[in-house]
Amino acid sequence: MAESSTSSAVSVDSISRDNKFWKGAFAVAGIMLTLVTYGVLQEKIMRVPYGAEKEYFKHSLFLVFCNRITTSAVSACSLLASKKAMDPVAPIYKYCLISVSNILTTTCQYEALKYVSFPVQTLAKCAKTIPVMVWGALIMQKRYQGPDYLLAFLITLGCSVFILYPAGADMSPYSRGRENTVWGVLLMVGYLGFDGFTSTFQDKLFRGYDMEIHNQIFYTTLCSCILSLTGLILQGHLIPAVEFVYNHHDCFFDIALLSTVATVSQFFISYTIRTFGALTFATIMTTRQLVSIMLSCVWFAHPLSWEQWIGAVIVFGSLYGKSFSRKMPQKTTSSITLVQKGDPNNLKDNP
């Protein structure tokens, strides 16, 4: 009888490990496939000419509009399918505030690719820890510890080395100088600043209101659609963008695929955080950034100087060090606490 119980327990444990493995493989494959594809398409659309006349697509706000209208439609369908409330939970102006900063973030991201290469842009994104800390202190009144400031310093150092010592052969199609132009760096600084504000204000909105994630996504992206469309019309870029896409069918395919993978990636990101937690997600995202840089260097022939390799090692070494140095939450303690509070529904299946 005892042998039967032991055998049954071993079998259940084995099945649990298999399920965990396949869930992990699904999450890693989904994030890597969608976001690496997104990075390659982003660089291709903004830096590779289309057609026999070698024309460049220059309307970055049109890409923002296509991405946001796709995400808005999918989030609306998710709310309707789950029969959740479509009414706004927070005042509309707060959704619009996130939307404006998000549009500026994405626009700076796309525009920067005209002046800096994708590897430079991707590595610079790792420095978003710094503006998040600044905005967190200003908006959320958060306080940070010594290791947080050390991480911010190391990432800043690595990014600075990577940007300041480019390989001389890697030139931007939009300028005659080296790729680390002042304008390109300023756009990346703008990207980091606006992105830090967006994530921090989203966090404050979630804490201040009982809000579903799809509710925030729907109203934020809906505002983004309206604002980006208005910007395109006022700048007179809507018709030229549509004409360019109409004349270059491969560009239309790239933009459609870009919007699709950008939307699908949100599902994998939410699934990974919900199933494995923020620690695993941070490690996967760090790996994704490293793979994206390597793939871009091979696919688009970006040479890297030895100083850039050192900068990349400093940045990714710091990020991996932070991920693996975090203490995993104690499942037993948290579970006992929740049961004592009489809320067994809050218990989650931690891997």
Side-chain angles (χ1 to χ4, degrees):
M1 187 72 177
E3 291 181 0
S4 176
S5 299
T6 304
S7 175
S8 177
V10 171
S11 177
V12 170
D13 186 57
S14 177
I15 293 173
S16 177
R17 282 199 302 268
D18 288 342
N19 287 339
K20 179 181 177 182
F21 170 79
W22 288 114
K23 286 181 179 179
F26 176 70
V28 172
I31 288 178
M32 296 292 280
L33 180 63
T34 55
L35 292 183
V36 170
T37 302
Y38 178 85
V40 171
L41 286 171
Q42 178 183 270
E43 183 170 15
K44 182 176 184 291
I45 293 171
M46 297 304 299
R47 288 179 68 97
V48 176
Y50 287 94
E53 298 181 0
K54 303 294 181 181
E55 297 179 280
Y56 288 97
F57 184 83
K58 302 178 181 180
H59 311 289
S60 56
L61 194 57
F62 184 76
L63 297 181
V64 177
F65 172 72
C66 293
N67 287 354
R68 298 302 177 268
I69 198 170
T70 304
T71 306
S72 179
V74 172
S75 58
C77 292
S78 298
L79 286 172
L80 292 173
S82 59
K83 297 180 180 179
K84 293 179 180 177
M86 292 283 291
D87 297 331
V89 179
I92 292 295
Y93 79 88
K94 292 191 176 182
Y95 292 107
C96 289
L97 192 57
I98 294 177
S99 176
V100 170
S101 64
N102 186 258
I103 287 176
L104 292 172
T105 298
T106 313
T107 302
C108 286
Q109 175 184 351
Y110 289 140
E111 286 293 315
L113 280 174
K114 295 178 180 179
Y115 306 98
V116 299
S117 67
F118 181 78
V120 170
Q121 185 211 61
T122 302
L123 197 77
K125 288 180 184 179
C126 298
K128 64 174 61 179
T129 304
I130 302 162
V132 167
M133 290 174 64
V134 173
W135 287 117
L138 293 175
I139 297 176
M140 307 287 287
Q141 284 77 50
K142 290 184 178 181
R143 293 186 177 182
Y144 299 95
Q145 304 299 321
D148 297 316
Y149 290 106
L150 177 61
L151 176 69
F153 170 76
L154 290 174
I155 291 176
T156 303
L157 176 64
C159 289
S160 299
V161 171
F162 199 92
I163 293 173
L164 294 174
Y165 295 95
D170 197 6
M171 309 290 284
S172 165
Y174 289 87
S175 65
R176 297 180 181 179
R178 286 187 172 186
E179 68 172 7
N180 57 325
T181 59
V182 174
W183 182 236
V185 173
L186 287 176
L187 284 169
M188 286 309 303
V189 170
Y191 162 81
L192 292 171
F194 291 125
D195 184 64
F197 175 83
T198 301
S199 58
T200 305
F201 198 76
Q202 280 179 316
D203 187 21
K204 184 175 182 179
L205 214 57
F206 276 124
R207 292 172 186 266
Y209 298 90
D210 185 16
M211 182 182 295
E212 290 285 341
I213 186 170
H214 289 295
N215 182 279
Q216 186 185 112
I217 291 174
F218 172 69
Y219 280 101
T220 301
T221 52
L222 184 62
C223 291
S224 296
C225 289
I226 297 171
L227 292 173
S228 56
L229 180 61
T230 303
L232 285 168
I233 294 173
L234 292 177
Q235 294 175 4
H237 290 173
L238 179 61
I239 294 178
V242 172
E243 287 180 346
F244 187 95
V245 172
Y246 178 79
N247 294 328
H248 302 88
H249 294 168
D250 50 343
C251 182
F252 170 79
F253 175 78
D254 289 341
I255 293 176
L257 187 57
L258 180 77
S259 300
T260 301
V261 296
T263 301
V264 173
S265 68
Q266 297 303 311
F267 162 76
F268 286 106
I269 289 171
S270 300
Y271 173 81
T272 303
I273 294 175
R274 185 175 65 249
T275 307
F276 297 99
L279 176 64
T280 301
F281 173 69
T283 306
I284 295 173
M285 288 298 289
T286 301
T287 305
R288 190 274 301 181
Q289 290 172 321
L290 182 59
V291 171
S292 295
I293 288 177
M294 296 299 102
L295 182 60
S296 177
C297 289
V298 173
W299 195 301
F300 296 102
H302 294 301
L304 294 181
S305 64
W306 65 269
E307 292 95 344
Q308 287 182 310
W309 283 107
I310 292 175
V313 169
I314 293 174
V315 171
F316 288 110
S318 302
L319 291 173
Y320 278 120
K322 178 187 177 183
S323 295
F324 291 117
S325 66
R326 289 178 181 173
K327 294 182 179 179
M328 297 298 290
Q330 297 297 321
K331 179 180 178 180
T332 304
T333 304
S334 61
S335 299
I336 292 173
T337 303
L338 288 168
V339 171
Q340 288 175 342
K341 289 181 179 179
D343 192 7
N345 292 327
N346 282 336
L347 292 176
K348 295 183 179 180
D349 294 326
N350 294 324

